[in-house]
Every structure is written in structure tokens, then in C-alpha cells.
Amino acid sequence: MAQDYFSALRDVVLVISSSLEPRDVLHKITEQTARTMGCKASTIRLLDRSGHFLLPSAAYGLSDAYMRKGAVEVKKSGMDGEVLAGKIMHLKDAAADGRFQYPESAKAEGLVSVLSAPLMVDGRAIGLIRVYSAEEREFSEAEHAFMDAVAAISAVAIENARLHAQLRSNYELMTRHAYQIYED
């Protein structure tokens, strides 16, 4: 079993290094994570600039209706607040747990157990990754460790993609400015 997690982690790293397109990379991470853990679905949500909302950034195995259920507000979701504080969280039954913001939507989607891990960069949370199981289940210590590793690698990839986009933007501005000076 541990060997499967090592292989899956290797595959996640290969996916991350294969593209500079964040959407493609994040979608592949959610798919790989859900499949490896034998889960119905997975999501990556990133904090908005205000730090008050978690925005859907990638999803695998969830309906469009579920993804449009409403904004995930950190202060209305006890679970997400704890995850963003740096804690891996497991809910056995999301629909019955008061810390899950949209229990009715989870039930309608057939989501029961969830496991969430924070995406941390320099000691601060930038979002979270979550897997959803269609049946009530416990997640093993190895699964917790796998989620923690995927979250850490994903956070670095997201930050690198942001820095790459910023560098590209700065380079384009600098090039435009230099071209304007040359023409003047």
C-alpha cells in the first residue's frame, strides 16, 4: 500500500513539472489524488485576496451543480477554518457534522466522508485540498501522510505558477517600455 502512495506521489510531481498551466496541473492533481485514495472526488480551493473566501480552483468527480452551490466562507465553515490554521481534518459524515458549510449539498451529491489538508507557503495557508468519499470511512495514517505530502507539493507548485505569471507580466511590461524608449 505504501508503495502505491510513493508511486502516486511521483506521478503528482511529474504532473506538476510537466506544465506551467496552473489549471491543467491542479485538475490533474485532484484527479490523481482522488483515484489514489479510492475517493469519489477531490477539490483544490484557494483563498481569495481578502482571505475570507475559498475559491474553486480545480475539481475532479463533482457535478457542476455542486461546484456552484455557493461561496465557501471561511468564517462559516468550521472545518475550513481549522484546515487553514494548518490542521489536516477528517469528517466521517460531512452532512451530519456542523463544521461543514453545505451539508445538504454534500448529501445530494452523495458525499459522506471528507479529508482536507492545508496548502501552506512560508507558514501561511493559501488554500486547501480535499477528497470526498461516497461512503463513511476512516482515513489511514498513510492516507493522512499522502494528503499532507500532496498538499505541500501542490502549494509549492501553485506559488511557483504565481511567481512565473508575475515574472512573465513584469518581463512584458519591461519589454514594452524598452520598445517605447527605442522608438522615441
Side-chain angles (χ1 to χ4, degrees):
M1 186 76 143
Q3 185 61 38
D4 294 338
Y5 289 123
F6 288 126
S7 296
L9 202 52
R10 179 186 151 276
D11 291 345
V12 168
V13 170
L14 290 174
V15 160
I16 287 170
S17 63
S18 70
S19 173
L20 288 173
E21 289 302 318
R23 287 200 185 283
D24 294 341
V25 170
L26 296 179
H27 176 75
K28 288 176 184 175
I29 291 169
T30 58
E31 180 178 358
Q32 182 71 38
T33 303
R35 287 178 186 254
T36 298
M37 296 183 69
C39 288
K40 175 180 179 163
S42 179
T43 58
I44 292 176
R45 289 184 174 270
L46 299 177
L47 279 170
D48 71 343
R49 289 179 194 260
S50 74
H52 299 296
F53 297 95
L54 282 163
L55 306 175
S57 300
Y60 170 79
L62 295 170
S63 69
D64 289 339
Y66 183 80
M67 294 305 295
R68 290 190 307 262
K69 68 188 175 298
V72 175
E73 292 182 64
V74 175
K75 68 179 177 184
K76 289 185 179 179
S77 175
M79 176 185 198
D80 293 330
E82 290 184 55
V83 173
L84 294 172
K87 185 176 177 186
I88 294 177
M89 290 287 301
H90 167 238
L91 298 181
K92 248 188 198 180
D93 186 353
D97 194 305
R99 294 174 292 175
F100 201 76
Q101 187 176 351
Y102 293 100
E104 301 83 20
S105 296
K107 192 171 192 169
E109 187 77 5
L111 307 175
V112 183
S113 293
V114 298
L115 181 66
S116 301
L119 301 173
M120 306 291 286
V121 173
D122 295 328
R124 65 177 174 81
I126 61 168
L128 57 83
I129 183 168
R130 177 175 290 149
V131 290
Y132 304 84
S133 175
E135 63 278 333
E136 189 172 300
R137 70 181 266 194
E138 292 289 338
F139 289 95
S140 70
E141 210 173 289
E143 289 171 317
H144 279 249
F146 176 72
M147 277 290 283
D148 192 33
V150 169
I153 291 167
S154 299
V156 169
I158 291 163
E159 191 64 15
N160 284 346
R162 286 178 176 170
L163 291 172
H164 177 74
Q166 189 176 27
L167 277 172
R168 186 179 344 166
S169 176
N170 289 345
Y171 175 77
E172 289 170 3
L173 284 172
M174 184 180 71
T175 304
R176 246 182 301 196
H177 181 70
Y179 183 73
Q180 289 172 346
I181 291 173
Y182 177 75
E183 286 202 337
D184 289 344

